[in-house]
Amino acid sequence: MLQNILSFRPKPVDWIFSVKTFAASMLALYIAMAFDLDRPVWSMATVYIVAHPLSGVLASKAVYRVLGTLLGAVVAVILIPNLVNAPVVLSAVLALWVGVCLFFARLDRTPRSYVLMLAGYTVALIGFPSVTDPIGVFPTAIARFQEITLGILCATLVGHIILPRHLGPVIAAQIDGWMGDVAKLVTESFDADMDPDQLDRDRARIASDLGELRGMALHLGYEKSRFAGQTRELQALQSAMASLLPVCFAVHDRLTALKAADVRVPEELRRLCDDIIKHVNQESHDPALVADLHHGVTAFRDQIRLADDWGGLLMINLCDRLHRLLDFHHDCRVLWDGIRAGKAPSDLLGRWYGAAGAEGMDRDANGAVRSGIAAMVAVIAVCAFWIATGWNAGGTAAMMAAVGSSIMSFLDNPVPALKGFMRYTTIAVGGVVFYNLMILPGIDGFPLLVLSFAPYCIVLGVFMTSQVTYGFGLAMVVNLVMILNLDTTFSSDIESILGGGVASLIGFAAAAVAIALIRVVPADQSIMRLVRANWRDIAAVARGSFAHGRLILVRRLLDRQGLILPRLAMAPQRRDTLIRVMPEVSIASALYDLRMATLFANKPVSDRIKVLLRSIARHFEARLTDPDRLPDPWIVEEVDNLLRMAVSDLAAAERERLVLPLVALRRTLSKAGVPRLRKHSGGGMLPAQPTIMGETA
């Protein structure tokens, strides 16, 4: 961290943010002192806790924090007076409340999670200090709610009135950049000689960036930029852009397969590919040109639609992917133009928004359970020590155990962050002693108080603008403020200050130990959890038990790819795992199409497809315990058999409906060899259908 601190170079906007945050904190402290609130420092500290450089993010966090604080205050008022005479039961109930709230907060990957997380540890903030004075719990709850709400209001007002930095322009700049990245990816995907590893990295990076877009778009309803209120539209755009990624993968794969099979790509198809590249890279969007390109692709496909060789089937499949690429890219451009104009087309919004909801996002229920249990164990352990020893500062330690278990819970391994927080708390205690002995005794009046805190808070507040140094800046400011416990009159009690600092450290240490024992999941295990979740969904699609449509299926698989990418920095040995996961979107889509094809195919074909799907489902279910398991050779053989049947015996409409997913499935299951698609010369019959694990068609 020291290296990150020394190498940090703040920009002017970072200094502006820090000065604004300090001004808001001083305003909150002044109002709290003027109205003689119980602990004015809560107002000042809250400003720093909710502060964010972007006004929309600040406002959304503020709203949900107010609601969470209110809910926590109500629960504290209900629990403390009724259970204060049974300290063991009270400790268990408060710990259970913190754990349950954290469990549900972890399941919600939106700003709404603040409500439950705050409701959890607000009960601890109010409840544990009130154990020795249960009669005063209601005034304490009212005071905390007033102080925290005051801090939130001051931070929000200053953030929106003084040089606000809106989220909308930031999103616009990033979308323009991502549009350029998508155009580059499309261009690279049409090059059969392109390095596959580079393509995989580019696709993974775009998938990760699109996940960031979803998170930022959720805050747009809380600011007044030109994109305010267009969260649904931006999430629809995100879904459309995400759907381009597997299409680009399929285009490159089919062109690579044609080259490997020594199939010459016709000049007409080459020209179409070049025209699509040129269209995607144009700054302006021409719907008429899109229609012409669709017409050209259709005309070429009509020329080869009865092809019965592998090269011809690859080109038929490629034409289908070109249609999808043109459609999805067209939808992206039209949605983005509509968003910028203030009105996105309702038909496109309806088509793509459905895949942007919670069903298309990964949920780590197991991690949420462990987070909740770790928080409960940390709080109960501290409370047990408190009750057994009668420690005066035990309430502070229990309070910090709840806070420490909650605030870093979104990380795979919160322990390093908690250790850092403990180090910064220790340093902040040194600052507290310095201020208490050297600065505050000479302060006479609020203006001098402001001047005394300005250098410390403004310099450290700048570090809160960077994700790398955010924890350092926040811990140094908030711990100094809270441990000093500023009020309208100065009182120096070093013993109490040091006791509070030690109690905070013990609370955070208890949280770190509980999390290390119960919650921490190594990055490689976290990656494999995401991979196995994909396999379960693919098996469900093959068995027909997946409850959602294709777009939600694709979106969920891509969301997990985006979650895998940042974890590779901590588990580089799993980089090959991400590359292997990339084609699984194509596998899932092909299985979905094959499942749909059984509804229209004749019974013999439908029965064979169902046996194939069940075998593929068993393969992915087996990979849950044997991740390196290879597909049963019969699966690839039966795909080839069905392809032969399709090109030889089926009518044109049924033939195309079956050929498209089978070619995609063949390419993703096995890159080796070329399927033999001609009938046998003697009799022309397909091989007898095999029996698989006791099943027949």
Side-chain angles (χ1 to χ4, degrees):
M1 176 57 73
L2 180 60
Q3 183 178 357
N4 292 328
I5 293 170
L6 295 176
S7 62
F8 181 62
R9 297 294 181 270
K11 302 174 183 177
V13 293
D14 300 331
W15 287 105
I16 291 172
F17 162 76
S18 185
V19 171
K20 286 169 53 179
T21 304
F22 177 69
S25 71
M26 290 296 102
L27 175 63
L29 181 64
Y30 179 80
I31 295 173
M33 287 181 170
F35 283 90
D36 198 24
L37 297 184
D38 182 40
R39 291 187 65 185
V41 290
W42 277 98
S43 299
M44 182 180 176
T46 299
V47 171
Y48 278 93
I49 292 171
V50 303
H52 195 280
L54 300 173
S55 58
V57 179
L58 168 62
S60 69
K61 288 172 66 176
V63 170
Y64 290 120
R65 284 181 183 274
V66 169
L67 294 176
T69 302
L70 177 60
L71 177 58
V74 170
V75 172
V77 170
I78 294 173
L79 293 179
I80 303 302
N82 291 302
L83 297 176
V84 71
N85 292 324
V88 174
V89 175
L90 176 59
S91 299
V93 170
L94 292 183
L96 178 63
W97 172 260
V98 173
V100 170
C101 286
L102 185 57
F103 166 76
F104 285 108
R106 279 291 315 277
L107 290 180
D108 189 347
R109 291 172 56 192
T110 73
R112 290 191 302 269
S113 63
Y114 280 117
V115 174
L116 289 171
M117 188 170 69
L118 263 292
Y121 69 71
T122 295
V123 168
L125 294 177
I126 296 172
F128 287 123
S130 301
V131 167
T132 56
D133 182 23
I135 303 300
V137 67
F138 183 75
T140 300
I142 294 296
R144 293 296 172 272
F145 179 72
Q146 290 173 333
E147 292 152 2
I148 292 172
T149 303
L150 173 61
I152 290 171
L153 289 176
C154 289
T156 305
L157 287 174
V158 172
H160 280 72
I161 293 173
I162 301 175
L163 299 175
R165 188 182 174 199
H166 293 304
L167 181 62
V170 176
I171 289 180
Q174 292 199 357
I175 291 176
D176 286 335
W178 294 334
M179 286 291 192
D181 290 342
V182 167
K184 177 187 174 186
L185 178 64
V186 170
T187 303
E188 293 173 344
S189 299
F190 278 95
D191 182 0
D193 296 321
M194 185 68 190
D195 179 15
D197 290 343
Q198 181 61 45
L199 278 173
D200 290 334
R201 287 191 293 269
D202 289 345
R203 280 192 293 266
R205 188 186 68 253
I206 293 174
S208 178
D209 290 343
L210 289 174
E212 183 182 348
L213 170 61
R214 179 183 184 275
M216 290 193 300
L218 292 169
H219 301 287
L220 277 176
Y222 300 88
E223 68 170 27
K224 295 300 181 183
S225 71
R226 64 184 177 127
F227 299 122
Q230 297 201 67
T231 296
R232 295 176 70 249
E233 288 81 355
L234 283 166
Q235 289 181 339
L237 174 61
Q238 177 210 26
S239 294
M241 293 177 72
S243 296
L244 272 170
L245 300 182
V247 176
C248 289
F249 172 87
V251 167
H252 182 261
D253 178 79
R254 305 308 178 262
L255 290 171
T256 303
L258 288 169
K259 181 180 178 180
D262 292 326
V263 176
R264 187 184 68 84
V265 177
E267 187 62 30
E268 183 179 353
L269 181 56
R270 288 186 181 277
R271 285 199 304 271
L272 281 169
C273 292
D274 291 340
D275 290 342
I276 291 173
I277 292 172
K278 189 182 301 182
H279 161 69
V280 169
N281 283 276
Q282 286 179 343
E283 290 188 9
S284 60
H285 181 64
D286 185 359
L289 177 58
V290 177
D292 291 341
L293 290 170
H294 274 302
H295 179 75
V297 174
T298 301
F300 177 78
R301 186 183 62 184
D302 288 343
Q303 297 174 23
I304 61 170
R305 67 184 311 147
L306 297 180
D308 58 359
D309 63 292
W310 181 233
L313 296 186
L314 284 171
M315 284 188 278
I316 291 172
N317 188 276
L318 175 60
C319 288
D320 177 74
R321 269 45 184 182
L322 294 180
H323 279 305
R324 291 189 187 183
L325 190 153
L326 288 168
D327 282 336
F328 295 170
H329 185 264
H330 168 78
D331 289 355
C332 289
R333 295 294 294 265
V334 172
L335 275 170
W336 183 219
D337 289 344
I339 290 169
R340 286 185 292 194
K343 185 165 179 62
S346 58
D347 58 332
L348 294 186
L349 184 59
R351 181 186 309 165
W352 290 107
Y353 179 69
E359 296 84 0
M361 300 292 107
D362 176 73
R363 288 189 175 187
D364 183 9
N366 187 270
V369 169
R370 288 199 303 272
S371 294
I373 292 175
M376 291 171 56
V377 169
V379 173
I380 288 175
V382 173
C383 287
F385 180 77
W386 178 21
I387 293 170
T389 62
W391 181 26
N392 290 335
T396 300
M399 184 171 64
M400 290 299 105
V403 173
S405 301
S406 302
I407 57 176
M408 305 293 181
S409 61
F410 61 91
L411 298 173
D412 281 341
N413 184 2
V415 174
L418 285 171
K419 288 181 178 178
F421 211 85
M422 292 166 63
R423 287 195 299 271
Y424 310 143
T425 300
T426 303
I427 299 171
V429 169
V432 168
V433 173
F434 175 77
Y435 265 90
N436 194 272
L437 296 180
M438 306 296 295
I439 304 295
L440 294 183
I443 298 298
D444 183 16
F446 193 78
L448 283 179
L449 183 67
V450 173
L451 290 175
S452 68
F453 276 109
Y456 181 93
C457 293
I458 292 175
V459 171
L460 289 168
V462 169
F463 290 101
M464 293 174 57
T465 60
S466 169
Q467 289 185 346
V468 177
T469 57
Y470 174 82
F472 168 72
L474 179 67
M476 291 296 292
V477 175
V478 171
N479 279 306
L480 179 91
V481 170
M482 293 300 296
I483 298 173
L484 274 175
N485 194 21
L486 296 172
D487 209 334
T488 52
T489 58
F490 171 73
S491 61
S492 179
D493 186 354
I494 293 297
E495 182 180 351
S496 176
I497 289 173
L498 293 177
V502 170
S504 296
L505 289 173
I506 290 176
F508 280 118
V513 171
I515 289 172
L517 294 175
I518 300 170
R519 160 76 174 82
V520 171
V521 176
D524 61 334
Q525 291 186 24
S526 181
I527 290 172
M528 287 309 299
R529 181 198 69 80
L530 293 164
V531 172
R532 288 188 175 94
N534 273 1
W535 293 341
R536 279 190 288 269
D537 281 347
I538 292 172
V541 171
R543 292 197 180 277
S545 59
F546 190 77
H548 307 288
R550 176 207 286 274
L551 289 180
I552 290 178
L553 168 67
V554 170
R555 187 68 195 89
R556 187 182 292 182
L557 299 183
L558 289 172
D559 178 59
R560 294 191 183 115
Q561 288 183 19
L563 294 174
I564 288 173
L565 184 64
R567 291 167 168 83
L568 291 179
M570 296 173 285
Q573 72 275 15
R574 289 292 181 185
R575 187 165 297 279
D576 289 343
T577 301
L578 177 62
I579 294 173
R580 291 173 59 189
V581 166
M582 291 288 183
E584 291 178 354
V585 179
S586 295
I587 293 176
S589 295
L591 296 177
Y592 189 90
D593 290 342
L594 283 175
R595 175 62 58 182
M596 293 297 102
T598 61
L599 302 177
F600 305 97
N602 59 56
K603 191 174 188 307
V605 173
S606 177
D607 287 343
R608 294 191 75 140
I609 293 173
K610 290 176 181 178
V611 173
L612 173 66
L613 290 173
R614 287 195 292 270
S615 299
I616 293 174
R618 283 194 294 271
H619 164 68
F620 279 99
E621 289 165 350
R623 289 182 72 181
L624 296 174
T625 54
D626 183 8
D628 296 322
R629 181 187 180 93
L630 296 175
D632 189 320
W634 175 85
I635 292 177
V636 177
E637 180 183 340
E638 184 63 4
V639 171
D640 292 352
N641 290 341
L642 284 167
L643 275 171
R644 278 198 298 275
M645 180 184 291
V647 300
S648 303
D649 301 334
L650 300 183
E654 190 175 354
R655 178 184 191 271
E656 186 167 350
R657 184 181 290 118
L658 196 55
V659 160
L660 291 174
L662 285 173
V663 170
L665 188 60
R666 178 59 163 80
R667 281 295 300 165
T668 49
L669 289 177
S670 174
K671 305 290 186 187
V674 174
R676 181 173 50 82
L677 300 176
R678 311 289 184 184
K679 283 189 174 184
H680 294 288
S681 56
M685 299 300 292
L686 286 171
Q689 184 177 347
T691 300
I692 302 296
M693 296 185 184
E695 291 190 73
T696 66

